[in-house]
Amino acid sequence: MKWPLVAYRIGLVIFLVAILLIAAMAVMPVLEGDVSVERDQEGIDWSLENETFTGEASVWINNSGYLDFEKIVFDLHVEALEDFQVETTHKVGKISAGEDRKIDLTFSKKISEIPDDVKTHLLRHDTEVNMSVDMSGQYSYALFTFTAERDDVFHWGAPFYDLTISDLSYSDGEGMVDVSFENHYRGELDFTVTVELFNSQGGNVGSTTESYTVPSGSSFDETVSVELTEEPEYAVVTFEEEKSGMEFQEEVYR
Amino acid sequence: MNEEKSILKPILVGIIYFLVFVVLVAGIIIFVKSSFPELKGVFHGTLTYVVLLGSLVAVMAAVTSYFDKGTKTRMFFGLSKAGSMILFHLGIYHSMDITIERRDVMIGVDYPGMRSLVILLLVLYAAYFVFEYLLHKGEKEEEIETYEETRTRRERISEPSEVRDDQSQWK
């Protein structure tokens, strides 16, 4: 055999061995568990601030393999009550070999974009929120590409859970309404309650606005009193969450 | 040149290629399917592709090895052998859907970079037969010329000379 052909054959064999080595370097760390994508166990961190409804979840990406991860993109789809949907994309970029990184996946929606019935439901009822995360990425030079899909259900704790407003009572020139609920929301609840009382003709006979703070996980039970000029027929009670500006109303009668 | 060619070598080459491309690959697939049941759904008729296209590779390898280096026929079958290897690779690729469900996560895997590398390797392997033909062509032509010359010389020697015939007549 001529030496150029021998050299060519040796080159082909080296190329083949290199391909097998690269494949092993990409696959072995995955099989040995050195490459992992784990969801943070704390779930979603919710916040209602600046007239925006925000959720934040975290994912840990551990790349203890030999090759870099590139073009990592997370597509989030959050859905609750059918009418509340948020879609967002997070471009993470590159995670080098040996890196262990926490990725914060945030989604938000302007309060004004949420339908009123959904807002009221979220304020008053604990809700299951479905979150679907699609992750895509590739090894260096697109040697291998991958996609991962995961569906999770998270719990949304309502700030005004189990809200009860008593019937309007009247005695000695004072109208009274009892309000009670539990704050299931993760954070402290700052809110105002406005009670407006009306006579049978619909004329305003008195009103008051009170501010309260309820710690997370606590119960609230208060009586709101209003000094009146005449006997009321019914009251309109308005609750407003201060940080987000979300509000809802209830009418109560004597 | 006209000596009887041994078919032992092509048969051996064919068997080796059959063992590697059909028996070994099919064995790996069967092993993976039985050892990792969650990977069963990855293969969609892959074994059929392995048997059909692997056998084609083995036949092409056997036929290629039958012909001498420096001949166009060997180059043609060499290129066909590399082509059938590319078909083998693509056939396996198209019959696989690497989607795995692991702890509530659906993972899909593809390997465009690796696929390009393998195809590049096989294209280079195909080029090897062209290279081999060009290198051995001159050698082959020399061999043919030598053979022709030897044959002509032998024919001349074996021809009865007219002079000798004439001399025999005088006796």
Side-chain angles (χ1 to χ4, degrees), chain A residues 57-89:
Chain A
S58 299
V59 172
W60 282 94
I61 300 183
N62 173 24
N63 180 13
S64 297
Y66 306 102
L67 303 168
D68 296 342
F69 283 149
E70 291 175 348
K71 295 182 183 172
I72 294 178
V73 176
F74 283 92
D75 285 315
L76 254 74
H77 180 86
V78 181
E79 187 183 320
L81 309 167
E82 293 183 2
D83 288 331
F84 178 77
Q85 295 194 358
V86 187
E87 282 184 9
T88 179
T89 299

Side-chain angles (χ1 to χ4, degrees), chain A residues 39-50:
Chain A
R39 178 168 67 85
D40 200 4
Q41 293 305 311
E42 287 178 15
I44 296 183
D45 193 9
W46 304 101
S47 75
L48 286 167
E49 281 178 18
N50 303 324

Side-chain angles (χ1 to χ4, degrees), chain A residues 100-240:
Chain A
D100 189 9
R101 197 193 297 177
K102 185 184 182 187
I103 313 289
D104 292 326
L105 305 173
T106 311
F107 57 89
S108 58
K109 195 161 180 109
K110 288 269 174 208
I111 302 285
S112 56
E113 292 169 4
I114 303 174
D116 285 342
D117 55 333
V118 175
K119 268 191 271 192
T120 306
H121 191 282
L122 289 173
L123 286 171
R124 296 185 60 173
H125 302 280
D126 288 358
T127 308
E128 298 297 310
V129 178
N130 300 308
M131 185 165 96
S132 127
V133 182
D134 291 353
M135 177 194 164
S136 63
Q138 64 177 47
Y139 270 122
S140 306
Y141 309 109
L143 291 172
F144 287 88
T145 60
F146 54 86
T147 56
E149 291 173 34
R150 187 188 174 113
D151 294 321
D152 278 309
V153 178
F154 291 96
H155 182 78
W156 158 260
F160 298 95
Y161 178 77
D162 196 20
L163 176 72
T164 310
I165 307 167
S166 67
D167 287 342
L168 173 64
S169 59
Y170 176 73
S171 69
D172 302 332
E174 240 184 12
M176 282 166 290
V177 174
D178 292 331
V179 177
S180 67
F181 63 87
E182 287 170 34
N183 176 15
H184 284 185
Y185 177 62
R186 279 196 171 201
E188 206 170 58
L189 172 67
D190 295 319
F191 74 102
T192 58
V193 58
T194 302
V195 179
E196 292 172 284
L197 294 110
F198 298 90
N199 60 22
S200 52
Q201 283 82 43
N204 192 317
V205 292
S207 67
T208 185
T209 299
E210 305 282 346
S211 291
Y212 298 97
T213 297
V214 184
S216 175
S218 301
S219 297
F220 176 87
D221 194 350
E222 289 282 336
T223 302
V224 183
S225 309
V226 187
E227 284 192 13
L228 301 172
T229 49
E230 60 179 282
E231 261 191 58
E233 183 66 26
Y234 68 97
V236 175
V237 186
T238 306
F239 295 86
E240 184 181 353

Side-chain angles (χ1 to χ4, degrees), chain B:
Chain B
M1 282 296 277
N2 283 341
E3 65 197 44
E4 200 67 24
K5 274 187 179 171
S6 166
I7 57 158
L8 191 65
K9 188 187 166 193
I11 288 173
L12 272 174
V13 169
I15 289 171
I16 290 168
Y17 271 81
F18 187 82
L19 286 174
V20 172
F21 280 81
V22 179
V23 179
L24 180 67
V25 178
I28 290 170
I29 292 170
I30 291 166
F31 170 76
V32 169
K33 278 170 105 171
S34 58
S35 304
F36 306 98
E38 71 269 24
L39 297 180
K40 252 184 182 175
V42 166
F43 306 103
H44 301 279
T46 313
L47 272 177
T48 314
Y49 276 101
V50 168
V51 172
L52 289 176
L53 296 171
S55 303
L56 178 69
V57 172
V59 169
M60 286 297 165
V63 175
T64 307
S65 74
Y66 179 75
F67 295 104
D68 294 323
K69 287 171 185 171
T71 58
K72 279 186 180 164
T73 333
R74 180 180 162 87
M75 183 178 68
F76 171 76
F77 281 106
L79 290 172
S80 306
K81 176 183 155 187
S84 61
M85 283 176 168
I86 292 174
L87 276 181
F88 176 81
H89 173 66
L90 292 178
I92 290 180
Y93 169 71
H94 283 293
S95 65
M96 282 169 69
D97 174 19
I98 312 177
T99 307
I100 310 154
E101 193 173 348
R102 202 188 228 187
R103 283 183 290 173
D104 300 335
V105 183
M106 286 294 287
I107 303 166
V109 181
D110 197 3
Y111 48 97
M114 291 302 292
R115 201 163 61 243
S116 307
L117 282 178
V118 172
I119 288 173
L120 176 63
L121 175 73
L122 293 173
V123 168
L124 288 172
Y125 184 53
Y128 168 83
F129 289 98
V130 179
F131 191 38
E132 181 195 71
Y133 168 72
L134 294 172
L135 272 178
H136 282 275
K137 198 172 96 178
E139 199 179 80
K140 202 78 201 165
E141 279 166 359
E142 244 173 56
E143 214 174 274
I144 292 165
E145 272 172 28
T146 320
Y147 172 75
E148 292 293 330
E149 271 174 26
T150 318
R151 199 177 66 173
T152 320
R153 218 176 296 143
R154 272 187 196 157
E155 276 173 3
R156 273 188 201 148
I157 292 165
S158 62
E159 257 177 27
S161 89
E162 285 174 17
V163 179
R164 232 186 287 157
D165 286 350
D166 291 347
Q167 278 173 349
S168 64
Q169 270 182 352
W170 282 105
K171 277 184 182 177

